[in-house]
Amino acid sequence: MILATRDGRRETGGDIVLNWLHPIHAGEALGPFGRLLVLLSGFAAALLVVTGIWRWLVRARRPPSRR
């Protein structure tokens, strides 16, 4: 039983964006290079969190400077 059919030539701009959101987010749109890019950006975000906390701790241990 067919519930609905869609004509790709009659989709609105919003439908086109929604159809691309998942493949871009998952890295499927650019093949293996896209997946590697998504993987590296995930590691970069985690690295920024760790280095941000580390810098904050180092600065918090430092005595206040006088002017």
Side-chain angles (χ1 to χ4, degrees):
M1 173 167 73
I2 298 174
L3 298 178
T5 60
R6 294 177 65 174
D7 185 6
R9 295 170 294 185
R10 294 182 184 217
E11 288 184 340
T12 64
D15 290 333
I16 294 170
V17 168
L18 288 176
N19 290 339
W20 272 93
L21 277 179
H22 179 70
I24 288 175
H25 183 76
E28 297 171 2
L30 300 175
F33 174 73
R35 290 178 189 248
L36 180 64
L37 193 62
V38 169
L39 176 74
L40 293 177
S41 65
F43 281 131
L47 182 65
L48 286 172
V49 169
V50 171
T51 57
I53 292 171
W54 175 61
R55 299 250 329 169
W56 178 75
L57 289 172
V58 167
R59 187 170 280 186
R61 288 185 198 155
R62 214 182 283 164
S65 61
R66 292 184 174 178
R67 287 187 174 207

